[in-house]
Amino acid sequence: MGRRALEVTGQRIDVQLQFDADAQPEMHDALRKLSPNNRTRLLYNLIAQGQVCSLATTDHNMRDVLMQSMVEVSKSVRAVANEAKAASEELELLRRAVAETDQELQQGTPITSKAPRKRQPPDGLDLKSDESWSSPAPAANDEESAADAALRMLAGSSALRAPESD
Amino acid sequence: MESRHKVVGIDVGFGFTKYMWLAAGERATDLFPSLVAPEPTSELPGFDLVSTGPRSATAKITVIVGKGAKSRRFVVGKSVVNELPTDHAHRTLNSHYAGSDDYSALLRGAITAIGATQIDHLVLGLPLTTFATKAATLQERFAGKHEHLVPLAGGTQYVCHVGKVTVLPQPVAAFLYHSANNKPDGEAANRSGLTLVIDIGYLTLDWVVTDGRQPIASRSSASNNGMSTICDAVCKSLAAELDLEFSFGLRKDVEQAIGRRTFTIAIRGKATNFEKHARPGEAMAEANLDALVKRSVTTLADISRVVITGGGAQFYVPVAKKYFGDIVSTSADAQYDIVRGLYTFGELLQNRQG
């Protein structure tokens, strides 16, 4: 791949999209200068645009940085998938509402409002606005289970002890 | 000056006090050494003549501990060691630390550094050596009103209201950070298998074996074999060879160089490499790992991953990799792992409650 200019929070950065050995220092430097959220956003954009499908680096520190960002990206993707599923369910509700209305019209019964609830845009996925970008919150179930797991961990910690002096 | 924080994590370690809070919508972390000095009087010679260059707002934080006639004024912060005579600054290295005025001073120093006037949930950490005996006391002691806080810029004293206080074992907090925040190895740690988390603190060396996210008490413990014992040995060896007295500042330089594995400090104006003196320290580290395995981990056969965390992580990791093999992992700035775990704990509960 060639070079491509990307606008990120007012900073114009040139990045070599292919992570070949020669480009690594430049790419690492550019990525390190970004905040975690903007790094995630950049990677999300690159993936969404089909510019990057895999990342590779021999720098261990950068690997950690990229892995963290990629985890955030995967959360975004998951949020999109959840949103798509919700949209699909709403479509199904709408289809049923239309079918029921048709049936009511045919039967001469009064029409009642069956408009589906208005959907909100997915959190954290307004990729055009820096101000609106934030790490997408995990799905409610994930949040609950993570909090429960943390509480269980705390409860399980009550038995932890060590002598105050050896 | 209203500054409300839903969650604040503070890890008052024996070596450094680390804190994490939300600043302008972004998670922020900072630290200062866990050094406490009595507030100097104007008669104290040399004060304010030593500092050079720009000082951060948290270079010197005045804190008041106690009430009325029993109140005492202390100074904590990033530059205490440079700004006060050596014999006026000290670390507390004993099991009574969590109940001491020094601990209160450091904790209130962190609250002052954040500038909080309201903390809904304060999450603190303790080593396993004092967790069972001191956690409940800490929770009771630090919940409620913190009066007489002195703003960084001076001026009128203010109050910080602390709602709920939770105390976590430090290595458990570090594990929580590695797992809940999806560190690369956290993904695997979430799934299955046993994880050994070793927290290399300043005074204590704590370890916890977890099955998934459940700590196994019988295989977890701690000892007072933290980095300070290794630094003691290195300083003693270096002092003997070069015939020098160790000041607090020089000792701090050695600690930093060991922690970063640079093994070079300036002595009498010359860059001096002391790597050969650090080698026995590595042998001590290996012996410490061997001792903790024999003491309660018992076997490594069912350990799938080892997480090295805490301020001494960078020094220990090469030794740990030699000892445990390629199942060892750490983070780039492991000194903050515990306080990030404390904050994460508070944040998870906060998100659940909405």
Side-chain angles (χ1 to χ4, degrees):
Chain A
M1 288 184 203
R3 298 170 75 86
R4 176 172 290 267
L6 288 158
E7 195 76 31
V8 180
T9 16
Q11 307 166 47
R12 193 172 182 81
I13 59 164
D14 282 316
V15 293
Q16 189 86 23
L17 297 180
Q18 201 167 16
F19 276 52
D20 57 61
D22 293 339
Q24 276 199 14
E26 184 191 6
M27 173 61 113
H28 291 174
D29 190 43
L31 285 171
R32 277 199 182 98
K33 285 176 183 169
L34 295 175
S35 69
N37 275 351
N38 281 330
R39 192 160 44 235
T40 300
R41 181 169 174 264
L42 169 66
L43 292 173
Y44 188 98
N45 271 329
L46 293 176
I47 291 168
Q49 292 166 15
Q51 304 288 356
V52 168
C53 58
S54 65
L55 300 169
T57 177
T58 54
D59 182 316
H60 288 288
N61 289 334
M62 184 48 64
R63 187 196 68 140
D64 288 350
V65 168
L66 289 176
M67 284 295 287
Q68 283 181 44
S69 293
M70 289 303 289
V71 166
E72 291 302 318
V73 169
S74 72
K75 284 182 187 171
S76 300
V77 171
R78 190 174 56 186
V80 170
N82 288 341
E83 190 64 19
K85 190 181 169 197
S88 167
E89 286 169 356
E90 285 192 11
L91 195 63
E92 177 60 20
L93 283 174
L94 187 62
R95 192 188 63 74
R96 281 187 202 164
V98 168
E100 284 171 19
T101 306
D102 281 345
Q103 196 176 14
E104 283 167 357
L105 280 171
Q106 284 170 11
Q107 292 169 351
T109 49
I111 298 173
T112 53
S113 172
K114 294 183 183 299
R117 68 182 170 83
K118 188 181 177 187
R119 286 198 294 119
Q120 298 296 319
D123 290 340
L125 290 176
D126 181 3
L127 300 177
K128 289 177 184 163
S129 164
D130 287 332
E131 289 72 30
S132 68
W133 173 266
S134 61
S135 297
N141 287 344
D142 289 352
E143 198 63 73
E144 280 170 14
S145 64
D148 289 343
L151 283 172
R152 278 199 303 275
M153 199 187 289
L154 177 61
S157 298
S158 60
L160 293 175
R161 63 187 66 237
E164 292 188 4
S165 59
D166 290 325
Chain B
M1 190 192 77
E2 201 65 23
S3 177
R4 182 182 175 182
H5 293 261
K6 289 185 175 175
V7 178
V8 167
I10 301 179
D11 178 28
V12 184
F14 285 102
F16 291 87
T17 298
K18 287 80 65 178
Y19 43 104
M20 186 167 192
W21 74 110
L22 204 63
E26 293 278 337
R27 294 173 183 173
T29 47
D30 204 354
L31 59 76
F32 52 76
S34 292
L35 289 168
V36 180
E39 187 181 51
T41 63
S42 56
E43 291 80 35
L44 199 61
F47 182 66
D48 269 345
L49 298 177
V50 190
S51 63
T52 55
R55 291 185 298 173
S56 76
T58 54
K60 189 165 64 90
I61 305 166
T62 300
V63 285
I64 300 169
V65 174
K67 290 178 182 174
K70 289 184 179 175
S71 68
R72 297 170 65 197
R73 296 175 74 98
F74 296 99
V75 177
V76 299
K78 289 182 189 294
S79 301
V80 167
V81 70
N82 293 330
E83 297 200 18
L84 291 170
T86 301
D87 57 355
H88 278 68
H90 63 275
R91 275 192 166 97
T92 302
L93 299 177
N94 60 51
S95 60
H96 303 296
Y97 181 47
S100 68
D101 280 354
D102 287 358
Y103 188 98
S104 291
L106 293 163
L107 185 124
R108 288 162 70 90
I111 291 174
T112 307
I114 294 166
T117 56
Q118 168 81 39
I119 298 172
D120 293 349
H121 190 183
L122 175 63
V123 192
L124 306 175
L126 277 178
L128 295 191
T129 47
T130 50
F131 177 72
T133 54
K134 302 282 196 305
T137 312
L138 276 195
Q139 284 170 195
E140 193 179 326
R141 189 168 161 211
F142 292 115
K145 274 203 298 190
H146 288 251
E147 296 177 291
H148 307 301
L149 295 174
V150 182
L152 293 181
T156 313
Q157 294 174 12
Y158 69 102
V159 177
C160 177
H161 297 267
V162 175
K164 183 180 176 183
V165 177
T166 305
V167 182
L168 295 184
Q170 288 166 342
V172 170
F175 176 72
L176 188 64
Y177 167 64
H178 274 261
S179 56
N181 282 278
N182 294 309
K183 297 286 290 177
D185 298 290
E187 284 288 311
N190 281 340
R191 284 198 293 270
S192 62
L194 301 191
T195 302
L196 169 61
V197 183
I198 305 175
D199 170 29
I200 319 292
Y202 189 81
L203 176 67
T204 63
L205 183 73
D206 295 50
W207 62 95
V208 165
V209 175
T210 71
D211 183 359
R213 287 186 168 182
Q214 196 61 28
I216 303 174
S218 62
R219 298 180 71 179
S220 309
S221 192
S223 68
N224 288 332
N225 290 326
M227 283 304 291
S228 62
T229 54
I230 290 174
C231 291
D232 285 344
V234 173
C235 287
K236 197 173 171 185
S237 170
L238 193 55
E241 184 190 301
L242 300 178
D243 189 24
L244 51 83
E245 287 270 328
F246 260 84
S247 68
F248 214 102
L250 195 55
R251 158 91 187 201
K252 184 194 75 174
D253 292 346
V254 170
E255 286 174 0
Q256 280 182 350
I258 290 173
R260 294 170 184 161
R261 296 192 71 84
T262 56
F263 304 126
T264 302
I265 56 167
I267 295 179
R268 297 175 185 130
K270 286 184 181 172
T272 306
N273 184 286
F274 64 88
E275 193 165 355
K276 68 176 179 182
H277 297 281
R279 292 296 162 221
E282 289 189 327
M284 288 171 72
E286 188 174 347
N288 288 341
L289 295 177
D290 193 49
L292 73 86
V293 168
K294 286 177 178 154
R295 179 160 152 185
S296 70
V297 178
T298 63
T299 177
L300 294 177
D302 56 357
I303 302 291
S304 301
R305 57 199 74 82
V306 177
V307 177
I308 306 290
T309 186
Q314 207 170 337
F315 178 79
Y316 257 76
V317 162
V319 180
K321 282 187 173 170
K322 197 171 140 197
Y323 188 86
F324 295 110
D326 61 2
I327 57 172
V328 171
S329 66
T330 188
S331 61
D333 43 7
Q335 191 169 24
Y336 285 112
D337 285 359
I338 291 168
V339 76
R340 285 172 174 155
L342 300 176
Y343 186 88
T344 298
F345 180 84
E347 204 176 45
L348 283 171
L349 295 196
Q350 176 207 326
N351 289 347
R352 189 172 74 152
Q353 288 158 4

